[in-house]
Amino acid sequence: MSDHHKETFITKYIFSLDHKMIAKQFLLTGMFMALVGMLMSAIFRVQLANPGESSILYNFLPSHWINEVGALNPDKYLALVTMHGTILVFWVLTAGLSGTFANFLIPLQIGARDMASGFINMLSYWFFFAATVVLIWSIYVPSGPASGGWTIYPPLSALPQSIPGSGTGMTLWLVAITLFIVGSLLGGLNYIVTILNLRTKGMSMKRLPLTVWALFFTAILGVLSFPVLLSCGLLLIFDRSFGTSFYLSDIVINGEVLHNIGGSPILFEHLFWFLGHPEVYIILLPALGITSEIIATNSRKPIFGYKAMVGSLLAIAFLSFVVWGHHMFMTGMNPFLGSVFTFTTLLIAIPSAVKVFNFLATLWKANIRFTPAMLFAIATVSTFITGGLTGLILGDSALDINVHDTYFVVGHFHIVMGLSAIYGMLAGVYHWFPKMYGRMMNKSLGYIHFWTTFICAYGVFFPMHFLGLAGLPRRYYTNSSFPMFDGLSDINSIITFFALSGAVVQVIFLFNFFYSIFKGPKTTKNPWKSTTLEWTTPVERIHGNWPGELPEVKRWAYDYSKPGYEDDFVPQTVELKEGEKDV
Amino acid sequence: MANVLIPLIIILAIVALVQITRVSELLGELKKIDVNNVTEEDNNTQGFLFVVIGGAFLIFVVWQMLEWNHLLLPPASSMHGEQIDALMQFTMGLILVAFFLLTPILFYFAYKYRGRKDNRAYYYPHNNKLELIWTVVPTIILTGVIIYGLKTWDSVMNVDTSDAHEIEVYSKQFQWLAREAGEDKVLGASNFKLIDATNNLGVDMEDPNSLDDKVVREVHLVVDKPVLLKFRSQDVIHSAFLPHFRVQMNCVPGLSTQFAFTPTQTTKEMKIQEGEDFDYVLLCNKICGAAHYNMQMKFVVETQEEYDAWIASQKTLDEKLLTQK
């Protein structure tokens, strides 16, 4: 923009105000955290397949996590599970996904030169970065990181006497999440303001690409729900450090009678899940938006039922605020309240079904081009179907009685939320890589990466449903203490085999990603023949996005294979012909 | 050792793949073709893979259902559990139908509509009628699911507990204990401040109802007789999970929770059905600390006579605390 100041290395790559650079910072930090989280899962999967045995993978862990015979300590198993959940839910699939694509795509797709406030945007990343440093640091404190599950239910998370991780590790977890929330709120407000105020001429809300709609709803969800988690965490900090009793009552631990009276851990659960459930959709909606965009582009067809797609996003976003109680059916809540939450929860199946049918209708009579991004987008639809359906069981309070907190839940949410979102994220990376780095990723490596990941991921998470239906609780260090689970060791071995293989094949992606940044073939301006505005910017990725005037939008985002045009795509900047109707 | 070898082999395989790809890329450069351009051949291969690997996934799902069916929990051993099982079968049937319809359609569409050079996609941005249909149909089906679910939930949760056999189940790191009400059928009062090494449930011995209470380390239930489990927790949240009875309830410090049910199968009957080593067991199903994975208590379901003999052999709190002092 302004030619006065010269960009130094520091202002360009580190304290950058450019949304594209900030997006890449989020992406790289998110990818790093994804690797850490995945390594943790590989380690605890090894423990589950070979309980009490030593493994070469344990060399990655601080030495005091391992006992004399070389096995993982049970409380450190819980530390790994807790950190895996925290990292994947918040660091990878919230900041890594939204942070990357909201930053990258919102200005580019609405025709803005940058975010509403570049400075706040930069702060958002650096708060996130600080949160990352604190969280990683917490892994190395002597008593270990937070170990009470990523949902940090008190009293377990409040009392260091109950588990070592609830000491310094938990304090650092709370500091990290507070920094994280500040960063995420700064980002979210910026996204909302940018979408509302900085759309270029002609870019009415009705013409927004679905990615932007999804990121818009995601930001609103975040801004409304994260403050609740912040207050929830603050009260926990008070209970832990200043002797208050918000969440504690009637407790005797290690023979010590605590003074706390009158608090309730259930209060914590309500506050936590008031964020926690919208959080699921903060993770999922961007992936669905990205998927819509990529499926339309590569089907060479308009997304089917644009309005219904926006409407169902809105319905899902709204409902996500009134379903949190389905995480708490077994807390002893009034059965009538349980009924209400069952009702609202199962309603989510309706907009979700609409989305699936619309995806299928988009593929119908398409002319599909299988880029690696398209493969991942189709896989997102597959996991959204598979995982969404089991939600009908978990959301039904009567059925939840016997599958609550079992591996059935683990299978369900890893497929519907974890895989869908990760696939969406990977699809997004493959699709927008040329725009991010001006180069192409290798197609064949992309294909191999996709199919191996697809096979391994279902190999890991589908069998978990059976463990759950056999009654196996989650977060068990081993299932060998109960004779009733003796038959399950084969399933555990299969899962671990796929988990390790699935982790290893990500090397293909990493290689492709970093290799292509430096050595990939140069791209052209619009390699996917896409209609949206980001592909009208120059390959060089300049600050301010467009060299001259901002582009003007003349039509909606999905004019693919429109009759009357020779090309099978009509960019949003192309004037409507006389008598031609915009959809 | 296999843990190490398998990933190693995979790493070597990947290194090989990477090299092969490099070679293909270099060849592409020599021949002046853009190797990253998606060709019709690619579309054919990838479309085909969706059918093959997608199909393999569906076969894998069926295989799991057949192969692992015997590992799943046996039919419920409680009255309300039978209702839950029926609802489960209905819902599971429904989602399996949806799964086996939608997934093949997705993979088949990917294959069928794979791109061809001379082909052009059909411009079809929306169809309100179609969209209305697939909004209304799921709504109708879900209405059925919701009504059936809520009716079941209501009948499971709202049961008359007036003549139920009351037992307190007590959780702490990492142990379950239980308290029988004794002859008077009333559990004595308790207070967490009274907990000490001998009185580990904090029972208030000033309360006359407490004297005949019995603290036990396994729970015995009478078959076909309703029981009301009342849960308390000493330290952190635990969850009492009795998978065979389809019973689960959190045990929350500072809060009293409960679950009423009627067991229908004695342990002996289950041993005949499930094998000699079968036992009903109570598990902890809420993360509660290092030994969470090993927090268990045996449940026994037996006839009235067997129960009477067993309960008579247990000491009352009065006797226990007296002898310890």
Side-chain angles (χ1 to χ4, degrees), chain A residues 50 368 405 442-443 476 515, chain B residues 3 22 25 42 115 284 286:
Chain A
N50 307 298
I368 301 171
D405 266 338
N442 184 289
K443 176 189 71 182
Y476 267 22
Y515 178 87
Chain B
N3 272 340
R22 275 299 293 148
E25 218 166 53
D42 289 328
C284 180
K286 186 63 79 190

Side-chain angles (χ1 to χ4, degrees), chain A residues 403-484:
Chain A
V403 283
H404 186 88
D405 266 338
T406 66
Y407 267 85
F408 195 87
V409 181
V410 182
H412 160 75
F413 74 73
H414 274 96
I415 291 177
V416 75
M417 177 180 93
L419 288 185
S420 300
I422 283 280
Y423 286 167
M425 189 168 167
L426 287 169
V429 171
Y430 277 108
H431 191 75
W432 281 290
F433 189 88
K435 194 82 279 177
M436 286 182 179
Y437 294 101
R439 291 172 189 270
M440 302 289 283
M441 285 178 81
N442 184 289
K443 176 189 71 182
S444 309
L445 286 181
Y447 288 159
I448 298 167
H449 173 227
F450 170 73
W451 287 110
T452 46
T453 304
F454 181 79
I455 293 168
C456 292
Y458 266 138
V460 171
F461 298 116
F462 208 92
M464 287 187 180
H465 297 110
F466 293 87
L467 295 178
L469 293 174
L472 182 63
R474 66 194 286 203
R475 293 166 175 159
Y476 267 22
Y477 171 68
T478 165
N479 51 26
S480 55
S481 310
F482 292 85
M484 69 179 280

Side-chain angles (χ1 to χ4, degrees), chain A residues 41 102 104 111-112 121 221 231 257 264 294 303 341 463 474 502 583:
Chain A
S41 67
F104 195 74
N121 208 24
L221 288 184
S231 42
V257 180
S264 168
I294 291 173
I303 192 81
F341 281 119
R474 66 194 286 203
V583 175

Side-chain angles (χ1 to χ4, degrees), chain A residues 57-76:
Chain A
L57 280 178
Y58 296 169
N59 291 332
F60 286 105
L61 301 173
S63 57
H64 63 275
W65 290 30
I66 309 300
N67 65 19
E68 316 77 56
V69 294
L72 186 63
N73 286 326
D75 72 299
K76 293 303 180 282

Side-chain angles (χ1 to χ4, degrees), chain A residues 239-451:
Chain A
D239 273 7
R240 288 169 50 82
S241 306
F242 307 123
T244 56
S245 307
F246 292 106
Y247 306 135
L248 306 176
S249 187
D250 297 30
I251 293 168
V252 180
I253 191 144
N254 287 351
E256 183 195 350
V257 180
L258 302 188
H259 70 276
N260 310 75
I261 282 183
S264 168
I266 306 299
L267 170 65
F268 175 92
E269 293 188 30
H270 279 295
L271 291 173
F272 182 88
W273 287 113
F274 188 83
L275 155 94
H277 202 82
E279 171 65 22
V280 169
Y281 292 97
I282 289 173
I283 287 171
L284 187 61
L285 294 187
L288 292 178
I290 289 169
T291 302
S292 309
E293 189 72 18
I294 291 173
I295 286 189
T297 306
N298 292 295
S299 295
R300 316 307 294 159
K301 249 189 101 190
I303 192 81
F304 184 84
Y306 174 82
K307 278 184 194 157
M309 288 304 242
V310 176
S312 54
L313 283 176
L314 177 65
I316 292 174
F318 172 75
L319 285 172
S320 75
F321 274 106
V322 289
V323 300
W324 79 90
H326 69 225
H327 298 272
M328 301 167 58
F329 285 142
M330 297 305 123
T331 53
M333 64 157 71
N334 187 322
F336 175 72
L337 200 54
S339 306
V340 174
F341 281 119
T342 297
F343 176 70
T344 52
T345 301
L346 295 183
L347 283 185
I348 292 192
I350 299 167
S352 306
V354 170
K355 289 205 90 70
V356 168
F357 291 133
N358 282 9
F359 281 134
L360 290 177
T362 307
L363 291 173
W364 180 69
K365 289 201 175 181
N367 194 31
I368 301 171
R369 176 182 60 198
F370 286 112
T371 60
M374 182 61 171
L375 299 177
F376 277 104
I378 292 175
T380 305
V381 180
S382 169
T383 49
F384 189 56
I385 294 171
T386 313
L389 285 170
T390 48
L392 286 184
I393 289 177
L394 290 159
D396 204 331
S397 47
L399 297 178
D400 189 55
I401 293 173
N402 228 51
V403 283
H404 186 88
D405 266 338
T406 66
Y407 267 85
F408 195 87
V409 181
V410 182
H412 160 75
F413 74 73
H414 274 96
I415 291 177
V416 75
M417 177 180 93
L419 288 185
S420 300
I422 283 280
Y423 286 167
M425 189 168 167
L426 287 169
V429 171
Y430 277 108
H431 191 75
W432 281 290
F433 189 88
K435 194 82 279 177
M436 286 182 179
Y437 294 101
R439 291 172 189 270
M440 302 289 283
M441 285 178 81
N442 184 289
K443 176 189 71 182
S444 309
L445 286 181
Y447 288 159
I448 298 167
H449 173 227
F450 170 73
W451 287 110

